[in-house]
Amino acid sequence: VLALNGKIKEVGEKLFASNGKEVNFASALESCENVGGTLATPANAEENEALLGFVKQYNRYAYLGIKEGESVGQFENINDTPLNYTNWRKQEPNGKGTEKCVEMYTDGTWNDKKCNLNRLTICEF
């Protein structure tokens, strides 16, 4: 169960919340879906900044709701829609098919990463 305890932010039409827990990508996605949301995916700089607030608060990298699609090196939202906003770190994504998930660093930039590592869970509603 997602305990909010003031760990919620509203940006435009979206609500973001984190339980502060670090789990692998599949578990993070499942925990968000179990409470009626999905993994947070920033659609613009303002939303990216809101997610960065959680990353800094917990001082942990976070998974984003982004995955590598059918084409190697092409990333998309987990609902299979194109990414209209990105904030890749310089030289990223560079996993070339081996790093299918995306994490946010503590500076707000993104990196493609393997999906089996434990990262902060941030959900969007």
Side-chain angles (χ1 to χ4, degrees):
V1 177
L2 194 66
L4 296 176
N5 302 338
K7 313 290 189 229
I8 193 162
K9 294 183 176 152
E10 187 173 3
V11 181
E13 300 290 307
K14 289 184 182 176
L15 284 177
F16 296 116
S18 179
N19 57 9
K21 296 212 169 32
E22 290 183 272
V23 295
N24 66 32
F25 182 84
S27 298
L29 179 58
E30 183 181 9
S31 66
C32 289
E33 288 176 343
N34 284 345
V35 292
T38 190
L39 259 177
T41 308
N44 55 48
E46 185 184 16
E47 291 180 7
N48 202 73
E49 195 64 32
L51 298 181
L52 178 58
F54 288 112
V55 168
K56 285 182 170 175
Q57 177 182 348
Y58 292 104
N59 196 29
R60 298 282 180 264
Y61 296 170
Y63 277 126
L64 299 176
I66 301 169
K67 64 174 186 196
E68 191 168 33
E70 297 296 310
S71 304
V72 171
Q74 291 295 311
F75 285 79
E76 58 192 24
N77 292 305
I78 46 177
N79 64 3
D80 298 327
T81 59
L83 287 177
N84 295 320
Y85 169 81
T86 61
N87 194 36
W88 294 109
R89 177 167 283 211
K90 196 172 185 211
Q91 317 268 290
E92 299 293 347
N94 64 4
K96 299 180 178 58
T98 63
E99 299 177 328
K100 297 191 173 294
C101 290
V102 177
E103 66 185 355
M104 178 184 281
Y105 286 143
T106 50
D107 65 359
T109 60
W110 305 356
N111 172 48
D112 56 333
K113 200 70 178 172
K114 291 190 182 321
C115 303
N116 61 346
L117 300 164
N118 288 348
R119 295 290 182 260
L120 182 65
T121 302
I122 306 174
C123 303
E124 77 175 47
F125 302 89

